[in-house]
Amino acid sequence: MSIKVKRSRAQPIARLLNKSGDIGQLMRQSRLIDQAQCHVRAHLPEEMRPHIFVGGFRDGRLTLISGQASWLTWLRFEQRRLLTLLHQLPGFEAVNGFTFKVRPVRPVEAPLRNTRHLSASAGKTLSECASDTHNPALRKALERLASHAPK
C-alpha cells in the first residue's frame, strides 16, 4: 500500500494565521475572548476581578467561569449591565446572554526564574581575559559577562 504525499511549499506562519481556515478562525476567536476578558474585568468591582474568567463564546452566549458560586450569583444580577458593556465592543453585538460555570480555577503563576550567580574571582578572571582579547565582539561579551559578578 502506498501513500501519496502532496508536496507543498512551506508558508510563513503569518499567512497561515490570517487565512480563513480553522487556525485563523481559532486565532480570531481567541483574540475576541481575550478582549472580552479585559473589558469585563475592567468593569467589575476590584475584589471580583481575579475570580472571573471568560471561558468561551458559543451560540451567542459568553461563558463566564469562577471558582466560587457567590461571584457568579452577583453576576447574574448584573447580566443586563454586562450585556450593554459587551455590545459596545466590535464583534460582540451577537452576544445575547451568559452561561455561568463554577469550576476550580488555578491562578496563572509565572515560572520561577533560574538565576545563577557569578563569583568575584570568576568575574576578575573574565575581565582579565577580556583585556587580553583582540576581538572587539568577544571582548565586549566577556566584559558584559564579568559585569554580573560582585565588585
Side-chain angles (χ1 to χ4, degrees), residues 3-31:
I3 299 174
K4 292 186 178 182
V5 178
K6 180 181 177 184
R7 296 193 181 256
S8 61
R9 293 184 177 175
Q11 297 179 17
I13 192 74
R15 184 181 302 159
L16 291 172
L17 295 179
N18 290 331
K19 280 189 174 180
S20 60
D22 293 338
I23 295 175
Q25 183 178 354
L26 185 64
M27 291 300 293
R28 279 190 297 280
Q29 187 172 7
S30 172
R31 277 188 232 114

Side-chain angles (χ1 to χ4, degrees), residues 7-133:
R7 296 193 181 256
S8 61
R9 293 184 177 175
Q11 297 179 17
I13 192 74
R15 184 181 302 159
L16 291 172
L17 295 179
N18 290 331
K19 280 189 174 180
S20 60
D22 293 338
I23 295 175
Q25 183 178 354
L26 185 64
M27 291 300 293
R28 279 190 297 280
Q29 187 172 7
S30 172
R31 277 188 232 114
L32 283 173
I33 288 172
D34 186 48
Q35 191 179 14
Q37 175 83 33
C38 293
H39 196 65
V40 166
R41 277 193 173 175
H43 292 89
L44 290 176
E46 187 70 35
E47 64 273 3
M48 283 184 76
R49 290 179 186 170
H51 302 284
I52 305 298
F53 299 91
V54 175
F57 179 69
R58 173 179 266 158
D59 300 327
R61 299 186 66 79
L62 195 68
T63 302
L64 297 177
I65 300 172
S66 178
Q68 297 176 1
S70 58
W71 298 121
L72 295 179
T73 301
W74 186 87
L75 287 176
R76 281 186 180 93
F77 289 109
E78 295 290 321
Q79 283 187 60
R80 287 192 178 167
R81 185 177 73 87
L82 289 175
L83 272 175
T84 306
L85 288 170
L86 280 174
H87 288 156
Q88 294 171 356
L89 286 174
F92 288 96
E93 298 84 8
V95 176
N96 56 23
F98 296 102
T99 302
F100 299 104
K101 292 187 178 184
V102 179
R103 299 281 188 265
V105 179
R106 284 189 234 147
V108 177
E109 296 176 7
L112 297 174
R113 291 188 65 170
N114 185 8
T115 56
R116 296 181 180 152
H117 301 284
L118 190 63
S119 68
S121 62
K124 182 180 176 189
T125 304
L126 285 170
S127 295
E128 291 172 357
C129 187
S131 63
D132 292 338
T133 303

